[in-house]
Amino acid sequence: MYIESVPNRQSPPCILLREDHREGSKVVKKTLANLTKWPTHVVEGLRVLIKGGSVAELDEDSFAIARSLPHGHVAAVLSVLKRLGLHQLIASRSSSKRDLVVAMIVARIIDPQSKLATARGFRQETLFSSLAQECRLGSLDEDDLYEAMDWLLDRQCRIEDKLASRHLQQGTFVLYDLTSTWYGGRTCSLAKLGHPRDKHKGKLQVEFGLLCDIQGRPVAVEVFEGNTGDPATVAGQIQKIRQRFGLERVVIVGDRGMLTEARIRDEFKGVAGLDWISALRGPAIKKLLENKDFTMSLFDDRDMAEITSPDYPGERLMVCRNPLLAEDRRRTREELLKATEKVLEPITAATRRKRNPLRGKKDIALRAGKIINKYKVGKHFKLTITYANFKYERKEEQIRAEAALDGFYVVRTSVTAECISPENAVATYKRLSVVERAFRCMKTVDMKVRPIFHRLEKRVRAHIFLCTLAYYVEWEMRQLWAPILFDDEDHELAQPQRTSVVAPAERSAKAKRKAASKRTDDGMPVHSFRTLLKDLATIAKNQIQPNIPDSPAFAKIALPTRTQTKALDLLNVKL
């Protein structure tokens, strides 16, 4: 195939696209198309391509980039989601609602925004990325997203049951913790004034509890009213684990505020196959350590001792003492005491000033009462108030008694020594930190579950469930990306560096090198999860339109960098 220019007397030459073949001794030409009316630069561009040239050799005006959409991060997240089979867990059959739910899960990871903004990013004329194209979304608005959320909420129990059957087995450990987030409206019946874990005092709260496997992978979530106490949620989780998930033998791990003495007595005692790991609260630790059968000499050459107590029949108690934690608490207490004295001193000065001194026992007490507990150590001060004087002093004996317990914590469990060692019991209790990490990712760093503006209760529940599924995908991506993240992928190598399970966790040598040099061992830059997603987003999916009449556009994806290639390879993603 070639292009031939045929002279045409006084007229311009005729431009023909031809091919030829030999018949015997003759060469027979066949005209395929008449290109006479084509622009010269288009004809020349086609001539280059026929001769085996590339697009780069064409004039820059021969092609136009009609649209360029961020694509790399979409391909990465969507590929992991499908490899996990999450779309199949949501619904076994493909549907427009399933496609929309999958798109919302991916959007929650790559660009968490309100549902109104997310819907705008899915529309053809206002696309934020290639996500809508990859999920084959048609014309839609925010109402379609709300309908898909309602559809997802109806399937929550079935999805959680499938996740539980995948990640929880008989006799397994289940981590459970509760958190709250502030609500941005006034209409949802779940929003109540409660304990503000986010430090947003005076705002309505919504609480949700997360069930995870021992590695921190989320399995189920439940939303509660904002004034619900932590212990009040335990019974429902036990019922869910044993009846819905069908786990007759299970060990529930919860913190000291969750698995209280009353909850253990009412929900766990006498129930076959149901065990627990928790910890004692401060007053109980004080009472235990004041027992005559207990001596501090146990910790002369070790930092953990297993004991029993008649106050806790049938339980094992692992008393731990962390010297570093003790020093930190001592230093913090001293700083808070000094800060409290600093705010109390102006009151003393006000009673002694010559002009308009502060007088009256009631007025002095009112002013002191407003600030005495500003730093939560007011219990350590004795105040003396008269009509014209104000004095304060530390309760030194009480402070020394509290300091004697610094660094002590007591892990309690009903699991027998044949099933779990004291060291493993303490380590398992400390695994609750992975649930805290999940809350941090969901609420602030990645999912941005807060603030919640949905007006209906079912939408709030669906929003939190959607964020949980998004974290399920992110958890897997973090494991795969650990070599190029600041995360520590060599946990097992770090453990021998610890002298005891009570000692602070040590990062591996490899993680320390990454943190210090900001480079991996092979010289590539180290990322956080969020910055790596932004890096991948620079891999654009370009829609290229040739400047040839009636020529169809085609897509071309930008070439990834070395770091991007490594990230995609770790996820086994092919663009």
Side-chain angles (χ1 to χ4, degrees), residues 87-258:
H87 61 307
Q88 296 289 343
L89 292 182
I90 294 171
S92 58
R93 295 183 179 180
S94 178
S95 66
S96 59
K97 284 187 171 58
R98 190 186 79 170
D99 291 340
L100 194 48
V101 167
V102 168
M104 285 192 288
I105 291 173
V106 176
R108 207 73 214 171
I109 298 175
I110 65 175
D111 188 21
Q113 298 190 66
S114 68
K115 299 303 181 293
L116 181 61
T118 300
R120 187 179 299 114
F122 288 164
R123 298 191 191 108
Q124 181 62 33
E125 62 271 23
T126 53
L127 292 176
F128 296 161
S129 68
S130 65
L131 178 56
Q133 296 177 353
E134 295 297 310
C135 293
R136 305 181 303 279
L137 302 183
S139 177
L140 53 83
D141 58 22
E142 60 273 13
D143 290 334
D144 295 305
L145 269 65
Y146 293 140
E147 290 178 7
M149 290 173 66
D150 297 341
W151 176 83
L152 174 66
L153 186 63
D154 292 338
R155 311 180 71 83
Q156 179 175 352
C157 291
R158 279 175 284 180
I159 296 171
E160 290 178 346
D161 292 347
K162 293 175 183 177
L163 288 173
S165 65
R166 177 184 289 186
H167 300 296
L168 302 179
Q169 295 80 36
Q170 294 289 350
T172 192
F173 294 93
V174 179
L175 308 177
Y176 176 62
D177 205 354
L178 191 79
T179 190
S180 67
T181 185
W182 55 283
Y183 180 74
R186 292 283 177 181
T187 59
C188 181
S189 58
L190 291 170
K192 306 288 184 182
L193 287 174
H195 176 58
R197 293 174 173 85
D198 296 339
K199 309 302 181 185
H200 285 80
K201 296 182 179 180
K203 288 186 177 292
L204 297 177
Q205 305 288 318
V206 174
E207 297 187 358
F208 60 96
L210 200 60
L211 284 172
C212 299
D213 67 5
I214 192 62
Q215 294 178 305
R217 185 187 290 107
V219 173
V221 67
E222 188 165 347
V223 184
F224 305 95
E225 293 183 350
N227 57 359
T228 306
D230 290 16
T233 68
V234 175
Q237 303 308 306
I238 294 176
Q239 184 179 16
K240 180 189 298 183
I241 292 170
R242 291 175 67 84
Q243 295 183 10
R244 269 184 46 197
F245 298 166
L247 299 176
E248 295 298 328
R249 295 181 292 106
V250 66
V251 180
I252 298 179
V253 185
D255 65 23
R256 65 194 75 190
M258 182 78 64

Side-chain angles (χ1 to χ4, degrees), residues 35 106 110 125 136 164 166 194 203 207 214 242 251 317 321 364 369 440 461 470 472 500-501 520 527 538-540:
L35 309 181
V106 176
I110 65 175
E125 62 271 23
R136 305 181 303 279
R166 177 184 289 186
K203 288 186 177 292
E207 297 187 358
I214 192 62
R242 291 175 67 84
V251 180
L317 304 176
R321 185 177 185 277
I364 297 174
R440 186 166 58 254
R461 295 184 184 276
Y472 179 80
S500 167
V501 70
T520 62
H527 276 282
T538 64
I539 302 177

Side-chain angles (χ1 to χ4, degrees), residues 527-545:
H527 276 282
S528 68
F529 182 82
R530 184 55 48 189
T531 60
L532 185 52
L533 280 180
K534 290 182 178 179
D535 189 357
L536 287 176
T538 64
I539 302 177
K541 187 175 186 180
N542 301 297
Q543 185 180 13
I544 299 177
Q545 178 65 60

Side-chain angles (χ1 to χ4, degrees), residues 18 38 99 137-138 230 307 376 384 390 410 474 504 520 535:
R18 287 180 164 178
W38 281 28
D99 291 340
L137 302 183
D230 290 16
I307 65 172
K376 312 298 182 184
T384 303
F390 172 75
V410 180
E474 179 179 319
T520 62
D535 189 357

